[in-house]
Amino acid sequence: MSTNIEGKVVVVTGASSGLGEDAARHLASQGAAVVLGARRIERLDAIVADIRQKGGKVEAVATDVTDAEQVQTLVNKAVEAFGRVDVVINNAGLMSIAPLSELKVDEWERMIDINIKGVLYGIAAGLPIFQKQGAGHFINISSVAGLKVVNGGAVYSGTKFAVRAISEGLRTEVGGAIRTTTILPGLIDTELKQGTSHDASSQNVDEMYKMAIAPTAITDAIAYAISQPADVDVNEIVVRPTVQEF
């Protein structure tokens, strides 16, 4: 049975591990051509080699999503290699949990740069191409932290609320032919939990993540959104572990 994924060209940021890697591998296995961006090029090279060995179509570009030119280069690579772009998955993210009173200003700025600006740069790179094509799909990774603020998570939640707001604004502006999906993961077993430098908060994060579920749960949500017919726009999907209350 066709999943409407085969033949699509999908750009994925934050693709060197976690949700990004899992999504890239799955979509490639479904016949999509995937173009991977992340800072750790050695990790990308290993993923590329494995996908190609399995017969998949894939390219990779070292990409820091805090640099608009690098994100543009990543998206341009998809057009150069495969002739078009059908989906941009803005996945790269940083979670640094600490009370505001700890004044982790550098970490606040880093989260804003990656979690908000990185999404905006992905939109800026992909939107003109989508408009020229008359079709395209943005998938922006927010978080359940974009629904509720927990102790120590004010800035992280702020960035993830922003992703939801930006996504909804984008949908209302260009939704005639261009789809926008926001995915809001709960506790998922990835490297995201390692972004906290505040010792007490880090211990709390480690305890919470004992209930985390596998990245495949989010990959399935991404694949579901992509696979819908062109006249169906799945706007928001929340995926939590069954036991997660918040």
Side-chain angles (χ1 to χ4, degrees):
M1 183 175 67
S2 173
T3 62
N4 205 30
I5 293 173
E6 185 174 3
K8 288 192 172 178
V9 179
V10 183
V11 175
V12 186
T13 68
S16 62
S17 66
L19 301 183
E21 177 184 358
D22 197 78
R25 289 180 179 278
H26 178 70
L27 295 173
S29 76
Q30 296 296 302
V34 293
V35 181
L36 314 182
R39 291 177 298 159
R40 296 179 293 182
I41 190 63
E42 72 286 348
R43 281 286 302 146
L44 290 180
D45 287 343
I47 295 166
V48 165
D50 191 45
I51 290 174
R52 285 179 178 162
Q53 192 274 330
K54 294 174 181 175
K57 297 178 180 179
V58 58
E59 297 288 341
V61 180
T63 307
D64 182 342
V65 298
T66 68
D67 185 321
E69 290 186 3
Q70 291 189 35
V71 179
Q72 187 67 64
T73 298
L74 172 66
V75 174
N76 289 349
K77 179 66 174 180
V79 177
E80 174 190 322
F82 301 112
R84 61 184 290 112
V85 182
D86 297 293
V87 185
V88 173
I89 302 176
N90 290 306
N91 165 72
L94 172 66
M95 182 179 74
S96 182
I97 304 299
L100 289 170
S101 59
E102 292 295 319
L103 302 179
K104 300 273 188 179
V105 176
D106 288 347
E107 294 180 6
W108 299 349
E109 292 180 348
R110 188 72 177 151
M111 282 191 285
I112 290 167
D113 286 346
I114 295 172
N115 298 354
I116 301 178
K117 291 182 180 179
V119 170
L120 288 170
Y121 295 158
I123 293 168
L127 185 54
I129 296 169
F130 288 172
Q131 289 175 319
K132 183 177 180 180
Q133 293 173 170
H137 191 174
F138 289 106
I139 298 180
N140 300 327
I141 307 300
S142 178
S143 167
V144 295
L147 299 170
K148 181 178 180 179
V149 183
V150 298
N151 288 341
V155 179
Y156 179 65
S157 281
T159 67
K160 293 304 185 177
F161 271 84
V163 171
R164 290 184 68 213
I166 291 164
S167 298
E168 177 61 7
L170 179 65
R171 183 191 70 81
T172 61
E173 290 183 21
V174 302
I178 298 169
R179 303 193 291 181
T180 302
T181 301
T182 308
I183 309 288
L184 297 92
L187 298 171
I188 309 298
D189 189 14
T190 71
E191 294 179 359
L192 188 70
K193 63 187 175 184
Q194 300 172 8
T196 297
S197 66
H198 181 246
D199 288 342
S201 297
S202 181
Q203 292 174 15
N204 290 337
V205 168
D206 287 344
E207 186 63 29
M208 285 192 303
Y209 269 79
K210 288 179 180 179
M211 68 179 82
I213 55 178
T216 51
I218 307 304
T219 292
D220 288 344
I222 291 170
Y224 171 77
I226 295 173
S227 67
Q228 299 308 300
D231 62 345
V232 176
D233 191 1
V234 178
N235 300 133
E236 194 165 89
I237 304 176
V238 183
V239 182
R240 293 182 177 91
T242 307
V243 296
Q244 183 177 343
E245 295 179 357
F246 55 90

